[in-house]
Structures are given as C-alpha cells and as structure tokens.
C-alpha cells in the first residue's frame, strides 16, 4: 500500500478554491483551478500565483560549505556572490544528471540548494555523503519552508505594494531577505515560466496569510491562482528542461545542450569531472543528438516518448509536448539526430498513433518575453 500524498501548508486554500488536485512526486498538488489555458494566459499577460511548496530545500553552512558544493556540484559556487543564485546540476561520477538545481548564497558560509521534488531525497543523500570530508553541515530544510511564486508582467507591481524591499534593483537570479505583507521571506527573482517574477520562501505557518495578501493585492491587476498544468506549458514554451523528461541520469549536461553549467575552471576536483571532460570533448566534435523545438503544422499533440521521424526512419524522440496557448499550435521538445536538428530541417514528422504528422524544427525557446 503506497503512502498517502503529502499536503502543503496551502492545501485547505486549494480545496476551498475548487482546485483539481493531483499526486505529483508524492505531494497532493493543484493541477488547475479552472481553465489551464486562462491560467497560462494570465501569467503571460498579467500575473499568476503558484504554490511550489513541494520543492526540496537543503541548507549547507560552515567554513567549508562553498568548497563542499564545488566538489558536489558541477558549478562554481565558491565564486557566487552573497545574495545571488545560480542554476547548476548534481551529476553522478559517470556524468549522468541526478538533478538540476538552483543554489542561493544567503551568506558567506550559508547556501540554500533547491532540488526538484522528485529528486529531493536523492540530492539530500548525495550532498550529505559528498560533504563528509568538508567543514560543512548539510541540513534537510524541506519542512522549514513553504514556497509561493508570483509570476508575470504585473508581478513586480503586485509584490511592491506589499513590501519595502528594493525590488527595482533585485536582479534576475538574485534574492534578498525582506518582509512581505508582514511575513518574513526570502524574496528571489527566479521562476520557471519565462516571465519576470518572484519566488517567496516563507515559514509554512505564514503561507496562507501571504497567499491571501498576494491574492488581494493582485485582484485589480488580473492575478489568478495557477496550477502545475499551466506551469508545464509555460516552461515548455520558454524551452526550460524538466527533470525526467529532458534531463536524466542517462544524459550528461552536454547531451542536454547545457554544458555551460559545467565549470572546469574552478579549483579542485568535483564529482563527474573526468567523465564530463570526455563528454565535453565529444560534444565539441559533434553531438549525436540535439535538443530542438518542434512546432506542429496540424492539431495533433505530440507526447513524451513519441518517435520523431524523417521518412520511414526514426531520428529522435519527443521529451515534452503540449498545446501552446501562446502560439496556438501544438509544440514539443525532442532529442533529434544532429543531421536533422537544424531549424527548418525538411521532412520531419512525429509518429502519433501510427500517423506521421508534419512538424517544423525550430530553435528553442518557442517564446521569449520582451524585456
């Protein structure tokens, strides 16, 4: 008998709003509140409010915290300035991706690692093991935080009405401590939607109060509650990878077109260095497959696992697919043989239940917001 899904501090709020709930990575999470298309458009045009409390927060502190992270992860976290965040990965010794992460440097000896919900325990266990030789403490802080996100072009104005924190000078991938609607929070300018926005780390006991304050402050600006369904179509349009779809232990960062996150220039060894150096050399010669965008010429929607074809030959596989509310057409990300991966490549299709539906190969992302 499988355990019951965990519930976030906002569970009662979601149910009161009539959300359709779903089991996601062992959590009972809101899939949608009404129309996922309307929620998607709200984030693109005004603002959306998300509960992301299923994400996994892990804290590293101590004089050796930076060195421990530089050994455990592929990024150069020792060079990260206090108040800034960085997208990075934790890899196996063979270079396979265990998870993609965001790391915040909250102080000289204080870091917070945010892992995907499905991988949080794996990341915690690996960081604990890899930090063993360093003067650093690894702490499981998953119960210490609720995480709310307000995303979309109206989000700076909504949040500014509730805080005295300097949002105007808060750069993308930066965070600062502040008070929002009387609630202590880490205010981060990060997100997974392709829009400007903020993620707010707060104590679980304060989550409902903050949700209500944001809802009231955003009422006149068009803010709506948003579920995981539109979060997926938003990140897909923005060309952002999802672990388990575009990323896995079978792939290195170079296979995923994200070799830029691997920092060989940092001091000392790190887990996966040798394998990743080899992967880097191979990628420089010619990657066997590339992650590309596909846009449908029809109405049928490709799904993860569907074959990408050129004539009768299978030349790739779809990793994520959905109708794009912004483009008004089905879109997908797929790993495709390099010979067929150039934008505009001819004769490309997706095998959808036995029919080869025509698709156009395009460069990612599908959508990029106007600055």
């Amino acid at each position: 008998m499988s355990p019951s899904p965990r519930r976030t501090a906002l569970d009662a709020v979601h149910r009161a709003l009539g959300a359709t709930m779903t089991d996601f990575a062992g959590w009972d999470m809101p899939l949608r509140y009404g129309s996922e298309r309307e929620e998607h458009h709200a984030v693109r045009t005004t603002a959306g409010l998300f509960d992301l409390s299923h994400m996994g927060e892990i804290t590293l502190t101590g004089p050796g915290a930076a060195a421990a992270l530089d050994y455990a992860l592929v990024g150069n976290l020792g060079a990260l300035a206090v108040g800034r965040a960085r997208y990075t990965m934790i890899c196996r010794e063979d270079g396979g991706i265990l998870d993609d992460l965001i790391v915040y440097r909250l102080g000289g000896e204080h870091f917070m690692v945010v892992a995907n919900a499905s991988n949080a325990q794996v990341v915690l266990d690996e960081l604990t093991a890899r930090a063993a030789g360093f003067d650093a403490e690894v702490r499981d802080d998953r119960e210490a935080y609720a995480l709310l996100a307000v995303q979309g072009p109206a989000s700076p104005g909504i949040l500014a009405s509730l805080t005295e924190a300097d949002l105007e000078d808060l750069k993308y991938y930066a965070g600062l401590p502040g008070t929002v609607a009387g609630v202590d929070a880490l205010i981060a300018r990060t997100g997974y939607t392709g829009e400007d926005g903020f993620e707010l780390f707060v104590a679980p006991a304060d989550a409902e109060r903050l949700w209500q304050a944001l809802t009231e402050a955003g009422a006149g600006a068009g803010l709506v509650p948003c579920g995981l369904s539109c979060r997926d179509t938003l990140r897909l349009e923005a060309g952002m990878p999802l672990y388990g779809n575009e990323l896995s232990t079978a792939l290195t960062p170079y296979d995923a077109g994200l070799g830029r996150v691997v920092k060989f220039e940092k001091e000392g060894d790190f887990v996966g260095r040798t394998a990743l150096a080899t992967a880097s050399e191979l990628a420089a010669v010619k990657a066997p497959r590339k992650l590309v965008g596909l846009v449908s010429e029809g109405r049928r929607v490709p799904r993860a696992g569907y074959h990408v074809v050129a004539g009768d030959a299978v030349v790739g596989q779809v990793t994520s697919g959905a109708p794009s509310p912004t483009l008004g057409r089905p879109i997908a990300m797929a790993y495709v043989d390099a010979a067929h991966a150039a934008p505009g490549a001819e004769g490309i299709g997706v095998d959808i239940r036995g029919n080869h539906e025509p698709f156009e190969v395009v460069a990612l992302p599908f959508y990029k917001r106007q600055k």
Side-chain angles (χ1 to χ4, degrees):
M1 185 175 178
S2 60
S4 299
R6 299 172 66 186
R7 296 185 175 189
T8 77
L10 291 164
D11 184 77
V13 173
H14 303 319
R15 294 176 192 280
L17 290 170
T20 298
M21 306 296 288
T22 188
D23 185 344
F24 181 81
W27 289 83
D28 209 13
M29 297 296 295
L31 187 63
R32 69 182 70 82
Y33 297 86
S35 162
E36 55 201 52
R37 180 178 293 271
E38 290 177 7
E39 292 171 23
H40 180 110
H41 283 308
V43 176
R44 288 276 179 258
T45 59
T46 54
L49 179 59
F50 297 82
D51 177 12
L52 306 179
S53 301
H54 60 309
M55 301 295 282
E57 295 86 5
I58 302 161
T59 298
L60 276 81
T61 56
L69 285 171
D70 278 342
Y71 172 72
L73 310 180
V74 301
N76 187 357
L77 286 312
L80 187 62
V82 173
R84 298 308 301 266
R86 182 160 295 166
Y87 176 78
T88 186
M89 294 181 180
I90 182 168
C91 290
R92 302 193 306 191
E93 198 67 68
D94 66 0
I97 303 166
L98 285 168
D99 201 14
D100 61 335
L101 313 164
I102 295 181
V103 178
Y104 298 86
R105 190 167 200 166
L106 305 180
E109 299 180 356
H110 185 188
F111 295 82
M112 181 171 69
V113 176
V114 180
N116 286 296
S118 58
N119 295 327
Q121 188 63 48
V122 169
V123 174
L124 174 64
D125 292 344
E126 284 294 326
L127 286 178
T128 301
R130 296 179 188 189
F134 297 85
D135 187 5
E137 177 190 352
V138 179
R139 187 173 70 237
D140 180 359
D141 271 349
R142 286 176 288 178
E143 299 290 343
Y145 292 104
L147 177 56
L148 283 66
V150 55
Q151 300 277 301
S155 60
I158 293 168
L159 191 57
S161 72
L162 296 173
T163 183
E164 294 182 0
D166 185 2
L167 301 182
E168 195 167 319
D169 289 337
L170 186 64
K171 296 181 173 63
Y172 186 50
Y173 267 70
L176 57 81
T179 303
V180 182
V183 169
D184 290 336
L186 170 64
I187 304 168
R189 201 161 206 156
T190 47
Y192 195 50
T193 64
E195 297 296 338
D196 191 10
F198 303 87
E199 295 183 320
L200 308 171
F201 296 85
V202 300
D206 292 328
E208 191 167 331
R209 175 181 171 188
L210 182 55
W211 178 281
Q212 298 299 353
L214 288 164
T215 299
E216 291 169 13
L223 177 139
V224 301
C226 293
L228 294 182
S229 185
C230 83
R231 189 168 185 252
D232 191 50
T233 54
L234 289 160
R235 71 90 192 167
L236 176 56
E237 288 183 351
M240 295 177 170
L242 175 66
Y243 195 90
N245 291 47
E246 288 72 42
L247 308 175
S248 73
T249 54
L251 300 169
T252 72
Y254 293 94
D255 295 325
L258 293 166
R260 66 180 185 276
V261 306
V262 182
K263 304 299 182 184
F264 291 109
E265 70 274 14
K266 63 181 176 178
E267 291 184 11
D269 194 15
F270 63 90
V271 177
R273 175 188 272 274
T274 301
L276 290 170
T278 301
S280 173
E281 292 169 3
L282 292 173
V285 176
K286 192 170 188 181
R289 281 191 169 183
K290 292 184 177 180
L291 186 64
V292 302
L294 300 174
V295 178
S296 175
E297 296 179 16
R299 307 305 300 176
R300 301 189 74 184
V301 179
R303 299 297 182 188
Y306 286 11
H307 288 154
V308 180
V309 295
D312 292 328
V314 174
V315 298
Q317 188 172 58
V318 172
T319 55
S320 296
S324 166
T326 302
L327 276 62
R329 299 162 72 184
I331 60 173
M333 287 198 282
Y335 282 107
V336 174
D337 292 349
H340 300 277
E346 296 183 356
I348 298 300
V350 174
D351 186 337
I352 301 179
R353 297 186 179 90
N355 292 321
H356 289 190
E357 302 288 338
F359 276 76
E360 178 187 359
V361 178
V362 300
L364 293 170
F366 302 96
Y367 166 86
K368 195 168 186 178
R369 72 181 176 93
Q370 299 298 312
K371 299 292 186 181

